[in-house]
Amino acid sequence: MPDLLAVPTLSSIQEAADRIQDLVHRTPLLQSTSLNALSGADLYFKCENFQRVGAFKARGAANAVLKLSEEMRQKGVATHSSGNHAAALARAAGSVGIPAYIVMPTSAPEIKKKAVKAYGGEIIFCAPTLEARESTLQEVVERTGATFIPPYDHPDVVEGQGTCALEMWEQEGGFDTIVCPVGGGGLLGGTAIVSKALRPEVRVIAAEPAGADDAFRSFQAKERIPMVGPNTLADGLLTSLGELNFQLLLTHVDDVLTVTDAQIIQAMRLIYERLKIVVEPSCAVPLAAILRYPERFKGQKIGIILSGGNVDLDKLPFRL
Amino acid sequence: MPDLLAVPTLSSIQEAADRIQDLVHRTPLLQSTSLNALSGADLYFKCENFQRVGAFKARGAANAVLKLSEEMRQKGVATHSSGNHAAALARAAGSVGIPAYIVMPTSAPEIKKKAVKAYGGEIIFCAPTLEARESTLQEVVERTGATFIPPYDHPDVVEGQGTCALEMWEQEGGFDTIVCPVGGGGLLGGTAIVSKALRPEVRVIAAEPAGADDAFRSFQAKERIPMVGPNTLADGLLTSLGELNFQLLLTHVDDVLTVTDAQIIQAMRLIYERLKIVVEPSCAVPLAAILRYPERFKGQKIGIILSGGNVDLDKLPFRL
């Protein structure tokens, strides 16, 4: 288990940014006149869809890999994931020449398997259950001595994800509000730490699909309530908030807003039409929240984290 | 009729760039490691999908409007178009506070009508035939005294479109080859003038849908052969090459390559997947040509003009 007390700070996130700079892109911050008019606010979109491996996950994975001791590096890294973290970890490990063992359900999409292999990762298949994933991972770690790098609930991962917001503040300061999607909470945690440290009066808002609203319910109840049976097209946000990230939510986040899938699709369409960029449904959740509760955002300068662009083009939700 | 002898030059295009700079965006030049690997070339994509009104047409329209005499400005501008040029001209005219009269077939898409109105243009509807468009435009010009700004076959329009390639050469010089889509030929003409002036040994290649291949046939025959019954999903490239632009093709362009709609869809998918940007089908024609004839491009540094991003999201051609 990672040391949950080793919580990242602004300065540790600044160090992470230096550490990972050769392994990640500095992504652009985009604006749209028409989206500003529509929202009545001044919106800045931080485009992690242009990040390496197509998502912010490249940052946390790179940071975790580069923080390993020389001895740990020799034995490589391992994780269980069928999503962006798998590709990100395989790529980070490959770029420093160490093995990455990725436990994936046999049912994972072909394109995800291909991506991991293309980056030089070794896939270990398991049955498509959480138990099988965990026990297979355990076996792999015991056999290889590899270090387990979890997808979100780990200080080094949160620290890496925080470099995204750090860049955004460097590119354009003075935000009144930051809106960030929340799934496992690694991106949100890092974003909140950086933003509150740089400008204590900033509001940090988490945006979440109503069909996977464990952060909303946990925030209200002040205790972590894991998600059971999530149901949303925002497939990057299905996971439950981690323990470390729940603590960061309570400490640094001002509110959690939820949106329906219909609102997510509408916001996603606006991003495609107005910003002319390809994003995954999870990315549209913050804009959907701003458009659902306009009175909470009007007249403000707002930073929005667009988390990634790995979407199945055959299943875009636009066709009527 | 415009004076077809008043052919734009590198220096007139440089002046145009200064003239229009407050009305257009300086668009980014993107690269993709995986598209480089796939093509075996070093590809730079000039992203006019991020241009104002979503297409390079903003450049030519702005230049034509800003070159009007004070007296001509008073009476406004007119055109017939149901596409990007209509919105671009309405916006350029609106931004200097003069009227824009846009003749459009009643059958034009609702979204195009809305865009023109949003920019303050006045729409005059006509029957959906070329004859009706031309006679209605004639009436409007006689009634209002407005100056007709055609969509592509006009020196000021070509000059404005040339500012796109000029920016690309400023952002990253030393290209071996430039690949540009061709419809009416305004973008191609401006691109070719700039590129050959800056680097005489550069190859300028026009890329065209096989279903609207009048530039290809005209280039082979060395006489202008207008298109009859074009049939391609690249709806920005249906029009025939203009007279001025045909002369520019013969003078400055090294070859015309055609691609099928299936190849256009494949290239369009790659742009969405790898560059994570939204482009219209016409944009994918140059990449499709590069992938169809790889041996002609291998090992080269290539500038590709992506013309625009106004695509109907309900009709994306990806779903299987």
Side-chain angles (χ1 to χ4, degrees):
Chain A
M1 278 295 291
D3 176 5
L4 295 184
L5 296 177
V7 175
T9 61
L10 175 60
S11 73
S12 81
I13 292 171
Q14 286 166 330
E15 285 166 25
D18 290 339
R19 184 179 298 123
I20 67 175
Q21 63 178 338
D22 292 341
L23 296 192
V24 300
H25 290 309
R26 191 173 175 90
T27 56
L29 196 62
L30 296 184
Q31 284 216 278
S32 157
T33 313
S34 67
L35 291 180
N36 285 352
L38 191 68
S39 63
D42 192 17
L43 308 180
Y44 291 81
F45 295 88
K46 177 66 173 167
C47 294
E48 290 292 294
N49 58 317
F50 295 132
Q51 188 49 267
R52 288 186 189 271
V53 311
F56 72 91
K57 296 277 185 183
R59 298 176 182 269
N63 191 51
V65 164
L66 294 177
K67 286 184 85 172
L68 295 175
S69 67
E70 197 48 54
E71 194 190 335
M72 291 163 94
R73 279 198 193 193
Q74 303 271 333
K75 294 179 175 164
V77 288
T79 199
H80 56 77
S81 162
S82 53
N84 291 326
H85 177 64
L89 191 65
R91 187 179 173 282
S95 65
V96 295
I98 68 173
Y101 307 98
I102 312 292
V103 174
M104 265 190 179
T106 45
S107 59
E110 209 49 49
I111 192 168
K112 302 283 183 185
K113 297 177 193 166
K114 263 192 182 163
V116 167
K117 283 182 197 160
Y119 294 124
E122 179 181 324
I123 301 179
I124 300 94
F125 289 106
C126 68
T129 65
L130 184 60
E131 293 69 31
R133 281 164 71 147
E134 291 184 345
S135 65
T136 308
L137 177 70
Q138 190 58 35
E139 282 165 29
V140 168
V141 166
E142 281 170 15
R143 173 169 59 81
T144 63
T147 302
F148 170 41
I149 309 290
Y152 46 85
D153 209 33
H154 186 293
D156 295 343
V157 172
V158 171
E159 190 174 272
Q161 318 306 27
T163 62
C164 170
L166 182 66
E167 265 181 31
M168 184 167 73
W169 282 93
E170 287 169 2
Q171 289 167 309
E172 178 74 43
F175 297 110
D176 300 304
T177 300
I178 304 293
V179 192
C180 180
V182 58
L187 180 64
L188 175 67
T191 298
I193 291 167
V194 163
S195 300
K196 290 285 182 176
L198 287 171
R199 191 168 198 231
E201 67 272 31
V202 75
R203 280 194 318 160
V204 175
I205 307 289
E208 193 176 41
D213 66 345
D214 65 295
F216 173 79
R217 289 180 295 110
S218 301
F219 185 74
Q220 301 296 329
K222 307 249 179 291
E223 66 173 308
R224 193 163 73 102
I225 307 171
M227 193 69 212
V228 179
N231 180 17
T232 169
L233 91 161
D235 55 353
L237 305 177
L238 293 169
T239 44
S240 294
L241 203 58
E243 182 55 44
L244 166 62
N245 299 334
F246 171 62
Q247 296 302 329
L248 294 173
L249 177 79
L250 286 187
T251 313
H252 295 298
V253 174
D254 296 278
D255 207 353
V256 183
L257 300 179
T258 63
V259 291
T260 65
D261 275 16
Q263 290 161 339
I264 293 170
I265 292 172
Q266 189 195 13
M268 186 173 167
R269 174 185 280 272
L270 286 168
I271 291 172
Y272 277 61
E273 276 180 2
R274 311 300 168 88
L275 289 175
K276 308 292 186 194
I277 60 176
V278 172
V279 297
E280 53 200 38
S282 310
C283 280
V285 174
L287 179 61
I290 291 169
L291 296 175
R292 181 173 196 177
Y293 301 102
E295 72 288 350
R296 304 195 193 189
F297 298 97
K298 270 217 162 58
Q300 296 177 35
K301 181 169 185 176
I302 302 175
I304 295 169
I305 312 271
L306 296 180
S307 46
N310 294 328
V311 64
D312 185 342
L313 294 175
D314 297 320
K315 294 182 183 158
L316 286 173
F318 300 132
R319 200 168 298 193
L320 299 173
Chain B
M1 278 296 292
D3 176 5
L4 295 185
L5 297 177
V7 175
T9 61
L10 175 60
S11 73
S12 81
I13 292 171
Q14 286 166 330
E15 285 166 27
D18 290 339
R19 186 179 297 123
I20 67 176
Q21 63 179 337
D22 292 341
L23 296 192
V24 300
H25 289 311
R26 191 174 176 89
T27 56
L29 195 62
L30 297 185
Q31 284 216 278
S32 157
T33 312
S34 67
L35 291 181
N36 284 353
L38 191 67
S39 63
D42 191 17
L43 308 180
Y44 291 82
F45 295 88
K46 176 66 173 166
C47 294
E48 289 293 293
N49 58 318
F50 294 132
Q51 189 49 268
R52 288 187 189 270
V53 313
F56 72 92
K57 296 278 185 182
R59 298 176 182 269
N63 191 50
V65 164
L66 294 177
K67 286 184 86 173
L68 294 175
S69 69
E70 198 46 53
E71 194 190 334
M72 292 164 93
R73 280 198 192 193
Q74 302 271 335
K75 294 179 175 164
V77 289
T79 200
H80 57 77
S81 162
S82 54
N84 291 327
H85 177 62
L89 190 64
R91 187 180 172 281
S95 66
V96 296
I98 69 173
Y101 306 99
I102 312 293
V103 174
M104 264 192 179
T106 45
S107 58
E110 210 48 49
I111 192 167
K112 301 283 183 186
K113 298 175 194 169
K114 262 192 183 164
V116 167
K117 284 181 196 163
Y119 294 125
E122 180 181 322
I123 300 179
I124 298 95
F125 289 106
C126 68
T129 66
L130 184 57
E131 293 70 29
R133 280 163 71 146
E134 290 184 347
S135 65
T136 307
L137 176 70
Q138 191 57 37
E139 282 165 28
V140 168
V141 166
E142 282 170 15
R143 174 167 60 80
T144 62
T147 302
F148 170 41
I149 309 290
Y152 47 84
D153 207 32
H154 186 292
D156 295 345
V157 173
V158 171
E159 191 174 273
Q161 317 306 27
T163 63
C164 169
L166 182 66
E167 265 180 30
M168 184 167 72
W169 282 93
E170 287 169 2
Q171 290 167 309
E172 179 73 44
F175 297 110
D176 300 304
T177 300
I178 304 293
V179 192
C180 179
V182 58
L187 180 64
L188 176 67
T191 297
I193 292 167
V194 163
S195 301
K196 291 285 183 178
L198 287 172
R199 192 169 197 229
E201 66 270 33
V202 75
R203 282 194 316 161
V204 175
I205 307 290
E208 193 176 42
D213 66 346
D214 65 294
F216 174 79
R217 289 180 294 111
S218 302
F219 185 75
Q220 301 296 329
K222 306 251 180 289
E223 66 173 309
R224 192 164 73 103
I225 307 171
M227 192 69 213
V228 179
N231 181 16
T232 169
L233 92 161
D235 56 353
L237 305 177
L238 295 169
T239 45
S240 293
L241 203 57
E243 182 55 45
L244 165 63
N245 299 335
F246 171 62
Q247 296 302 329
L248 294 173
L249 177 79
L250 286 187
T251 314
H252 295 299
V253 173
D254 295 277
D255 207 353
V256 183
L257 301 178
T258 63
V259 290
T260 66
D261 274 16
Q263 290 161 339
I264 294 171
I265 293 172
Q266 190 195 13
M268 186 173 166
R269 175 186 279 273
L270 286 169
I271 291 171
Y272 277 61
E273 276 181 3
R274 311 299 169 90
L275 289 174
K276 308 291 186 193
I277 60 175
V278 172
V279 296
E280 53 200 39
S282 310
C283 280
V285 174
L287 179 60
I290 291 169
L291 296 175
R292 182 172 195 177
Y293 301 102
E295 73 287 352
R296 303 195 193 190
F297 299 97
K298 271 216 162 57
Q300 295 177 36
K301 182 169 184 175
I302 301 175
I304 295 169
I305 311 271
L306 296 180
S307 47
N310 294 328
V311 64
D312 185 342
L313 294 175
D314 297 319
K315 295 181 182 160
L316 287 172
F318 302 131
R319 199 169 299 192
L320 299 172

